[in-house]
Amino acid sequence: TFGALIGDFNPVHFPMNPNNTQHNEQQLTHEKPIVHGILLSSVFSTIFGTLIPGCIYRSQTLKFQHPVHVDEQVHGRVTVKKLRLINRQGGSGVLCICDTTVTKTANLQEGDNENTERDEDILCISGEAQVWLPGVVISAENT
């Protein structure tokens, strides 16, 4: 598992062991383990690396707002906020500043909300990323 790979053995990330009588409150209130937030946020690197090959991921802020449990489907989204052309002696490029989010869909059953069945996105992770696009040139009219 990811937890074993990075050495994080927080019990909220692992299934309850029925032979262990020492469970914390988080384990008792959730049937399934909580996915590591850092593992979920790796979707942003995947989005950048696949859509903009050659980009350099410079920084990322993260705010973990809602847990995601094993087997829940999530959606990663990157929204460009600002592009800044940078000319340097070593080379020019564009610094791309983006909002980043991970959401999951909660299915509301009849009677849960206004007596209708509908899906609602739950914000699980939000943040801001800075990605360097070396050699990219943008015109002043596009900024």
Side-chain angles (χ1 to χ4, degrees), residues 20-138:
N20 180 4
T21 58
Q22 303 260 332
H23 298 294
N24 67 30
E25 184 178 331
Q26 187 75 21
Q27 283 181 299
L28 295 174
T29 58
H30 297 290
E31 288 181 21
K32 296 183 179 180
I34 296 172
V35 179
H36 285 81
I38 292 298
L39 178 60
L40 287 169
S41 63
S42 68
V43 71
F44 304 132
S45 179
T46 301
I47 292 170
F48 290 126
T50 340
L51 297 179
I52 316 168
C55 71
I56 299 170
Y57 205 162
R58 295 205 30 191
S59 68
Q60 174 75 56
T61 62
L62 298 169
K63 183 175 181 183
F64 302 105
Q65 300 182 346
H66 198 276
V68 173
H69 297 93
V70 171
D71 295 330
E72 289 184 306
Q73 185 175 0
V74 296
H75 303 278
R77 174 172 283 202
V78 171
T79 306
V80 176
K81 274 183 11 176
K82 183 179 180 181
L83 297 173
R84 193 171 86 202
L85 181 61
I86 298 175
N87 288 310
R88 295 202 172 133
Q89 193 169 9
S92 62
V94 172
L95 183 64
C96 181
I97 301 169
C98 304
D99 285 330
T100 54
T101 59
V102 171
T103 59
K104 68 179 181 178
T105 302
N107 188 18
L108 301 176
Q109 300 298 323
E110 190 171 333
D112 286 346
N113 189 355
E114 303 173 341
N115 296 323
T116 59
E117 185 175 325
R118 65 185 176 92
D119 291 337
E120 181 178 289
D121 285 338
I122 297 172
L123 182 61
C124 301
I125 300 175
S126 63
E128 182 180 277
Q130 291 190 5
V131 181
W132 175 246
L133 312 174
V136 173
V137 178
I138 56 174

